[in-house]
C-alpha cells in the first residue's frame, strides 16, 4: 500500500492495519491517544493516532483535530502536517522527522506563527465542535468582544469541571471567579486570530529540516496572545525569547501583553485541573494571585 492509495482510499486504512498489511511501529505519544509510525510499501511513513482507553472515542474527536490542522495549514504560516486520513477512530498525518531546536528555527517559527495568526478567523470559536485534550471545547461562533468570549468559553467551563471533580477548593474557585468578574479590566482585546489553541511546548515539533511545526491543535478563532502565553508553560519552549522577538518584529504585540500572560495561561491550567486533578492546583493559585494582586 502506497501513499497515493491511502490518500485516495483513507477508509481502507483500518482494515490494512487489522490484517497487518502495513508495518506499524509504536512511537511516543500523549496520555489520551496511542501513536505509531506506519511504513508504507513506497517507503513513505505516516504518523497515526488512535484512541486510548476503555471508553468510546468521543463523537467527532479526530474529525475536529483534522479540521483544525487543515485550517491552520491553509494559513501558509507555521508548517502543519498534511491530514492523510481522518476517521472516527483514527487520524493519520504526514510523517515529520524530528530534529533539534535552534535559534534560527526559533526565529523562523516566531515569524511564521505571526503569519498563521494574521490569517484571521470569521469569529471567536470555530465552524466545528472543539476538543482540548479529551474535553469538549465550546466553539460556537461569537463575534465577541474577546474578554466576554474567553471568560464564557475558555475559563468558566473548565472552572466548573475542576470544581466538580474536587481539583480546586472553594477558595480557588472564588479566586478564578474574581478574575472572570474583572476580565474587561485586563485590556488587550483584539479581533479573532487564527490560533493553535493548545500551544504548550510539547505541541511544537522541532523538525530535522530546521523548522518548528504545529501539531495536536485545539484550533479556533481566538486571541493571538493565548498561543504565545502557552508557549511559556511547563518549562517554556526552547529559545522562547527568540520566538517572541521574531514574532513581535513580524507583527508587534499590543502594549501590556506580558502582563496578560497569566490570564491567557489560566485557560490551559484549568484544563489541566479538569483533566488531571489537584496536581495543578498550585499553578492555579499562583496565577490568580498574580492577576488579582495583593
Amino acid at each position: 500500500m502506497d501513499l497515493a492509495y491511502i490518500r485516495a482510499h483513507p477508509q481502507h486504512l483500518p482494515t490494512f492495519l487489522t490484517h497487518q498489511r502495513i508495518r506499524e511501529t509504536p512511537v511516543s505519544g500523549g496520555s489520551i491517544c496511542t501513536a505509531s509510525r506506519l511504513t508504507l510499501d513506497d517507503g513513505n511513513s505516516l504518523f497515526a493516532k488512535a484512541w486510548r482507553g476503555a471508553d468510546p472515542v468521543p463523537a467527532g474527536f479526530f474529525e475536529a483535530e483534522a479540521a483544525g490542522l487543515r485550517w491552520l495549514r491553509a494559513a501558509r504560516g507555521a508548517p502543519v502536517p498534511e491530514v492523510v486520513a481522518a476517521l472516527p477512530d483514527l487520524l493519520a498525518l504526514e510523517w515529520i522527522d524530528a530534529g533539534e531546536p535552534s535559534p534560527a528555527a526559533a526565529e523562523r517559527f516566531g515569524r511564521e506563527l505571526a503569519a498563521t495568526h494574521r490569517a484571521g478567523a470569521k469569529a471567536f470559536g470555530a465552524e466545528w465542535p472543539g476538543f482540548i485534550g479529551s474535553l469538549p471545547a465550546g466553539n460556537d461562533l461569537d463575534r465577541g468582544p474577546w474578554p466576554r468570549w474567553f471568560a464564557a468559553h475558555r475559563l468558566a467551563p473548565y472552572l466548573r469541571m475542576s470544581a466538580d471533580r474536587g481539583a480546586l477548593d472553594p477558595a480557588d474557585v472564588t479566586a478564578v471567579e474574581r478574575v472572570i468578574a474583572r476580565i474587561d479590566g485586563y485590556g488587550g482585546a483584539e479581533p479573532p486570530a487564527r490560533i493553535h489553541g493548545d500551544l504548550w511546548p510539547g505541541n511544537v515539533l522541532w523538525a530535522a529540516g530546521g523548522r518548528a511545526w504545529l501539531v495536536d491543535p485545539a484550533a479556533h478563532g481566538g486571541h493571538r496572545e493565548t498561543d504565545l502565553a502557552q508557549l511559556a508553560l511547563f518549562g517554556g519552549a526552547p529559545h522562547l525569547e527568540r520566538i517572541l522577538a521574531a514574532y513581535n518584529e513580524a507583527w508587534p504585540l499590543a502594549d501590556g501583553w506580558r502582563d496578560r500572560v497569566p490570564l491567557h495561561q489560566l485557560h490551559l491550567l484549568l484544563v489541566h485541573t479538569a483533566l488531571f486533578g489537584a496536581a495543578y492546583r498550585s499553578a492555579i493559585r499562583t496565577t490568580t494571585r498574580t492577576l488579582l494582586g495583593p
Side-chain angles (χ1 to χ4, degrees):
M1 300 303 149
D2 61 19
L3 182 57
Y5 185 90
I6 297 299
R7 280 191 176 120
H9 307 282
Q11 72 277 11
H12 294 172
L13 185 55
T15 301
F16 296 146
L17 291 172
T18 299
H19 295 283
Q20 298 182 338
R21 298 283 303 279
I22 296 174
R23 191 171 76 195
E24 185 175 11
T25 307
V27 297
S28 60
S31 60
I32 294 167
C33 293
T34 60
S36 58
R37 181 174 185 166
L38 310 183
T39 304
L40 307 179
D41 291 343
D42 61 1
N44 283 300
S45 292
L46 298 176
F47 175 82
K49 296 172 65 171
W51 183 252
R52 185 199 300 270
D55 294 333
V57 57
F61 180 79
F62 288 119
E63 293 91 338
E65 182 172 343
L69 287 164
R70 290 174 175 131
W71 187 62
L72 293 172
R73 186 177 169 92
R76 300 185 181 277
V80 178
E82 175 195 356
V83 176
V84 177
L87 304 171
D89 299 314
L90 178 72
L91 182 67
L93 308 175
E94 171 188 4
W95 178 266
I96 307 298
D97 287 320
E100 294 296 326
S102 69
E107 291 176 6
R108 182 171 183 178
F109 178 57
R111 294 190 296 271
E112 291 179 333
L113 183 61
T116 298
H117 290 167
R118 263 194 148 146
K122 293 180 180 178
F124 298 106
E127 295 180 345
W128 54 85
F131 291 89
I132 185 158
S134 59
L135 300 177
N139 269 354
D140 291 349
L141 292 173
D142 188 327
R143 297 198 176 276
W146 174 79
R148 182 197 69 194
W149 176 86
F150 188 69
H153 296 283
R154 291 298 182 267
L155 296 182
Y158 305 103
L159 174 61
R160 289 194 298 270
M161 291 181 203
S162 299
D164 291 345
R165 296 174 187 185
L168 299 178
D169 66 22
D172 301 322
V173 172
T174 297
V176 176
E177 289 175 339
R178 288 177 62 201
V179 171
I180 290 172
R182 60 172 70 176
I183 197 164
D184 287 332
Y186 293 107
E190 290 189 355
R194 187 169 305 206
I195 73 168
H196 179 285
D198 188 12
L199 199 56
W200 69 285
N203 284 342
V204 179
L205 174 58
W206 299 86
R211 297 177 80 186
W213 292 60
L214 300 177
V215 297
D216 292 342
H220 62 276
H223 198 305
R224 60 194 180 117
E225 290 177 11
T226 299
D227 275 354
L228 299 175
Q230 290 174 349
L231 283 171
L233 284 169
F234 312 131
H239 310 294
L240 178 59
E241 286 305 317
R242 295 242 187 166
I243 295 171
L244 296 174
Y247 184 104
N248 206 30
E249 287 179 7
W251 189 11
L253 291 156
D255 290 345
W257 69 268
R258 287 189 183 271
D259 295 332
R260 290 186 291 273
V261 165
L263 177 65
H264 290 276
Q265 290 178 339
L266 185 57
H267 161 54
L268 199 53
L269 293 173
L270 287 169
V271 169
H272 276 67
T273 51
L275 275 172
F276 305 117
Y280 291 91
R281 178 185 291 165
S282 62
I284 297 290
R285 291 173 175 172
T286 298
T287 301
T288 55
R289 281 198 298 267
T290 301
L291 290 167
L292 295 172

